[in-house]
Amino acid sequence: MKKLLAMGLTLGLFLTASAQETETDSIPNGWKTDGNIQLLFNQSAFNAEWTGGGTSSIAGNLNLNYDFNYKMDDFTWDNKILANYGLTKVKGDDFARKTSDRFELNSVAGKEINNSNFYYSWFLNFRTQFAKGYEFSEDAETGETIRTETTHAFSPAYLQTGPGIMWKKGDDFMVNLAPATARFIFVDKAFTSGPEYMDGDYFGVDAGEGMRFEFGASLTALAAFDIVENVRMENSINLYSNYLDKPGNVDIDYLMNLQMGINEFLSANLLFQAIYDDNAVGAFQIREVFGVGFNYKL
């Protein structure tokens, strides 16, 4: 908990300093929506005479970033949907493989405290994936690729919710600290059954169970700003400490989205994500996606 509070204080000071450089947004009452869809492509090709080495491949990523926010006087309700799905196909490989697969909904409602930038808040975060995930291996006798299903939609799925205190300055700077957060991890019981399964092997869920309950503290923060004209960076981070089991092992989910506009319909995009979840893997999971593609503003 002390680590989480220290991280929250440091991040809050950073966001406050950043926000002080901009004017406070004058947000009118009512609904405000904003978002975009991006289709990114990556491709490489080599002919038979190419001597430098390399394998032809093609990859695509579909990204959705959509905000729908509501304000009425001293009450705000901010919602964000983040979704992405990507595949890559390498020449000679039997299967196309996922490069990204994520659906996330963030929602936080706040009641302003005494005309300040602080709010009483309640937040909800939901995360899962769209399609099946596999581990790949090779048949020792035939050399054929074997894929074993390890995940699918809603297995796992994460739900966090709880009350807290939010600091907010406009739509682009926010920190929410929720010291009494309920967290649920949902999985398919098919993955936790069988004589070979041990408690906690599958995203921390016990043998034969389909859900794990945790209770702890959560910190969520957002910082978005324009670096130069047509180049915008969005940063979001979620920290979670489970009071009931190893509270010192703080789960981290950081996402950076760098959008570089070329024109109204073409853009370059860089995604970087770092996840630490002791229930899944006791190490950082790193994902990076870069591509050029089509952009459609919602």
Side-chain angles (χ1 to χ4, degrees), residues 24-72:
T24 303
D25 290 343
S26 178
I27 305 173
N29 286 338
W31 285 98
K32 177 184 177 182
T33 61
D34 186 37
N36 64 79
I37 297 176
Q38 291 178 319
L39 181 59
L40 304 176
F41 288 103
N42 296 279
Q43 186 265 343
S44 61
F46 306 87
N47 69 358
E49 289 71 35
W50 184 261
T51 61
T55 303
S56 299
S57 66
I58 186 169
N61 285 271
L62 182 63
N63 301 317
L64 169 67
N65 187 334
Y66 187 68
D67 297 312
F68 50 108
N69 302 333
Y70 178 78
K71 180 179 182 295
M72 184 54 65

Side-chain angles (χ1 to χ4, degrees), residues 12-30:
L13 292 174
F14 165 74
L15 293 176
T16 302
S18 300
Q20 286 175 346
E21 298 176 0
T22 63
E23 295 182 2
T24 303
D25 290 343
S26 178
I27 305 173
N29 286 338

Side-chain angles (χ1 to χ4, degrees), residues 178-189:
T181 296
R183 187 190 197 203
F184 303 87
I185 304 174
F186 302 99
V187 302
D188 189 331
K189 285 188 178 181

Side-chain angles (χ1 to χ4, degrees), residues 7-281:
M7 292 179 183
L9 179 60
T10 302
L11 190 60
L13 292 174
F14 165 74
L15 293 176
T16 302
S18 300
Q20 286 175 346
E21 298 176 0
T22 63
E23 295 182 2
T24 303
D25 290 343
S26 178
I27 305 173
N29 286 338
W31 285 98
K32 177 184 177 182
T33 61
D34 186 37
N36 64 79
I37 297 176
Q38 291 178 319
L39 181 59
L40 304 176
F41 288 103
N42 296 279
Q43 186 265 343
S44 61
F46 306 87
N47 69 358
E49 289 71 35
W50 184 261
T51 61
T55 303
S56 299
S57 66
I58 186 169
N61 285 271
L62 182 63
N63 301 317
L64 169 67
N65 187 334
Y66 187 68
D67 297 312
F68 50 108
N69 302 333
Y70 178 78
K71 180 179 182 295
M72 184 54 65
D73 300 328
D74 61 351
F75 173 79
T76 65
W77 182 25
D78 295 343
N79 304 276
K80 176 183 282 288
I81 292 177
L82 297 169
N84 55 74
Y85 187 77
L87 290 173
T88 184
K89 182 65 169 67
V90 178
K91 184 179 180 181
D93 201 335
D94 294 333
F95 303 102
R97 307 197 184 197
K98 288 196 298 185
T99 54
S100 63
D101 186 2
R102 182 182 180 93
F103 174 84
E104 181 171 354
L105 169 65
N106 289 292
S107 182
V108 56
K111 178 75 170 177
E112 192 174 14
I113 304 173
N114 297 328
N115 295 318
S116 66
N117 288 327
F118 288 90
Y119 296 75
Y120 299 113
S121 67
W122 191 285
F123 91 103
L124 180 144
N125 171 268
F126 176 77
R127 290 184 289 122
T128 188
Q129 62 189 52
F130 291 101
K132 295 179 180 179
Y134 299 94
E135 287 185 351
F136 293 87
S137 59
E138 185 177 291
D139 189 294
E141 296 182 358
T142 65
E144 294 182 350
T145 301
I146 301 172
R147 61 177 186 174
T148 304
E149 182 182 336
T150 56
T151 60
H152 57 229
F154 301 102
S155 185
Y158 299 87
L159 176 65
Q160 294 185 85
T161 186
I165 295 292
M166 175 175 64
W167 175 89
K168 178 183 178 182
K169 192 164 186 179
D171 286 339
D172 292 336
F173 296 96
M174 182 273 289
V175 179
N176 186 71
L177 178 62
T181 296
R183 187 190 197 203
F184 303 87
I185 304 174
F186 302 99
V187 302
D188 189 331
K189 285 188 178 181
F191 293 116
T192 63
S193 302
E196 75 285 354
Y197 183 81
M198 302 293 290
D199 282 352
D201 282 355
Y202 191 73
F203 298 97
V205 179
D206 289 340
E209 299 296 327
M211 186 192 75
R212 172 185 170 95
F213 173 75
E214 298 179 349
F215 183 74
S218 174
L219 176 79
T220 303
L222 168 71
F225 47 89
D226 295 327
I227 298 177
V228 294
E229 186 178 359
N230 295 326
V231 179
R232 183 171 178 80
M233 176 181 283
E234 294 183 356
N235 298 274
S236 64
I237 189 168
N238 182 275
L239 308 176
Y240 179 78
S241 173
N242 180 19
Y243 298 145
L244 307 179
D245 184 24
K246 301 177 182 177
N249 287 355
V250 178
D251 292 344
I252 303 170
D253 189 344
Y254 168 74
L255 178 66
M256 184 274 289
N257 184 12
L258 184 64
Q259 303 170 1
M260 295 161 279
I262 300 173
N263 56 38
E264 184 179 357
F265 298 106
L266 295 176
S267 66
N269 187 259
L270 173 64
L271 286 172
F272 175 82
Q273 186 172 17
I275 296 176
Y276 182 87
D277 184 348
D278 198 48
N279 292 327
V281 181

